[in-house]
Amino acid sequence: MHQLRLFLALAEELHFGRAAARVFISQPALSQQMRALEERLEVSLLERRGGGLRLTAAGEAVAEQAGEVLGAMARLLQVSATHAGAVRGKLRVGSLGAEAAMPHARAVLARLRSRHPDLEVEVLNLNFVEQFDALAGGAVDAAFLRGPLPSGFQSVELATEPRVVCLPADDPLAGETELSLAQLADRTVVDMPREVPRLWWDHLTVNPRPDGTAVRFGPVVRDTEAMVLAVLQERAITFLPAAARQLYPRPGLVYVDAPELGNSVSFLAWLPANRDVPAVRALRAAAHSARPPVADGT
């Protein structure tokens, strides 16, 4: 099929140099491919006369049929791709901070690429303010997020891990192997902008605490990088998934276990209206096959 495409270009240009430039190969390579095609068909397709290039009678007949053959092959590939479930086009996937770098997200994207190599996948980094709005507003087609999720989304749970306390290394509690919420009662906690759903952040900061005490919030940040810097610079604390130990190690920061915080849950989320869009459906299938879901909102 490749040789037929090259031959058609040459049949139209009747010039090796122009045809080679048109199909982005060298002139010697084009000549070699034409000789191989003639050997395969056992017929001469080209001849030089008067310093020019012409098609032989056989070449004219082959050129006439080659277009139909290539068109038929294109239709065959399209039909087979449809039945095989191959997806083309573009998929925009949001990632809250470093979520797309997590092993479970990488596994999903790798499975998607292996099944749909012609699908262009763009991963967009989202901060705390953008994460839900980008999905709800259509800026992304799906997103790797941390729970709890708004009720308007559908999702598949990908992974769980413990949550930890992030605090300055010179904090008196930094040397502990495990901390309770009671021990952290007088610490200032990094806060979120007002655009971030308050129920989401209150849940993650356990506000109010089990004894009814309200959390004392401090510096406001929009992303995880700014969050860890706020802990360093403004003497605050925050709570993060345990993976932050590897993703956000910083001199002067310490991560300490805190069982009362519970687990952090990773999700792939999408809008119900988009669940059967071919690219989103392919991503959902990749998520299910890459890791069996624990909880599925589909």
Side-chain angles (χ1 to χ4, degrees), residues 247-272:
L247 295 173
Y248 299 98
R250 299 292 184 273
L253 279 187
V254 171
Y255 295 96
V256 181
D257 293 338
E260 288 180 276
L261 292 175
N263 288 332
S264 177
V265 184
S266 298
F267 292 93
L268 173 68
W270 59 88
L271 289 178

Side-chain angles (χ1 to χ4, degrees), residues 84-126:
V87 176
R88 293 175 174 82
K90 185 172 184 178
L91 177 70
R92 297 162 302 171
V93 181
S95 170
L96 175 61
E99 277 300 297
M102 296 293 289
H104 52 267
R106 295 203 310 270
V108 171
L109 294 176
R111 186 67 59 91
L112 182 67
R113 284 192 295 270
S114 68
R115 291 180 172 181
H116 307 281
D118 294 325
L119 177 63
E120 179 186 351
V121 179
E122 181 182 8
V123 178
L124 303 175
N125 186 268
L126 306 175

Side-chain angles (χ1 to χ4, degrees), residues 215-293:
V215 172
R216 184 172 70 235
F217 289 106
V220 176
V221 300
R222 299 175 69 90
D223 57 52
T224 309
E225 189 65 46
M227 178 179 282
V228 297
L229 289 176
V231 172
L232 281 171
Q233 297 172 357
E234 303 198 41
R235 313 296 304 167
I237 70 168
T238 194
F239 307 135
L240 287 168
R245 287 184 166 115
Q246 289 76 45
L247 295 173
Y248 299 98
R250 299 292 184 273
L253 279 187
V254 171
Y255 295 96
V256 181
D257 293 338
E260 288 180 276
L261 292 175
N263 288 332
S264 177
V265 184
S266 298
F267 292 93
L268 173 68
W270 59 88
L271 289 178
N274 292 338
R275 61 170 281 129
D276 291 322
V277 171
V280 175
R281 185 171 61 240
L283 180 62
R284 290 171 44 228
H288 280 277
S289 61
R291 173 167 179 154

Side-chain angles (χ1 to χ4, degrees), residues 76-183:
L76 174 64
L77 292 175
Q78 183 177 11
V79 169
S80 63
T82 300
H83 285 276
V87 176
R88 293 175 174 82
K90 185 172 184 178
L91 177 70
R92 297 162 302 171
V93 181
S95 170
L96 175 61
E99 277 300 297
M102 296 293 289
H104 52 267
R106 295 203 310 270
V108 171
L109 294 176
R111 186 67 59 91
L112 182 67
R113 284 192 295 270
S114 68
R115 291 180 172 181
H116 307 281
D118 294 325
L119 177 63
E120 179 186 351
V121 179
E122 181 182 8
V123 178
L124 303 175
N125 186 268
L126 306 175
N127 62 35
F128 297 128
V129 175
E130 298 165 335
Q131 57 175 329
F132 301 131
D133 288 344
L135 188 54
V140 296
D141 304 302
F144 294 110
L145 303 173
R146 293 276 172 161
L149 300 181
S151 59
F153 297 153
Q154 292 181 342
S155 63
V156 56
E157 183 178 318
L158 299 176
T160 62
E161 62 182 308
R163 297 173 65 216
V164 295
V165 182
C166 175
L167 66 168
D170 58 357
D171 188 294
L173 297 176
E176 300 290 330
T177 58
E178 189 174 290
L179 292 171
S180 67
L181 290 174
Q183 289 174 285

Side-chain angles (χ1 to χ4, degrees), residues 5-80:
R5 292 188 185 94
L6 297 180
F7 173 64
L8 277 182
L10 186 56
E12 292 175 6
E13 298 290 345
L14 291 177
H15 189 281
F16 272 97
R18 291 194 300 269
R22 174 174 162 181
V23 295
F24 303 103
I25 65 173
S26 68
Q27 186 171 333
L30 178 58
S31 297
Q32 183 180 7
Q33 291 290 337
M34 291 303 94
R35 286 195 298 270
L37 179 60
E38 288 178 324
E39 291 176 3
R40 175 171 291 180
L41 297 178
E42 298 182 346
V43 67
S44 178
L45 301 174
L46 304 159
E47 61 180 357
R48 294 183 182 274
R49 278 190 186 174
L53 185 68
R54 296 179 56 184
L55 297 179
T56 65
E60 291 179 356
V62 170
E64 183 178 342
Q65 296 298 318
E68 295 184 14
V69 170
L70 291 172
M73 179 57 73
R75 292 189 294 273
L76 174 64
L77 292 175
Q78 183 177 11
V79 169
S80 63

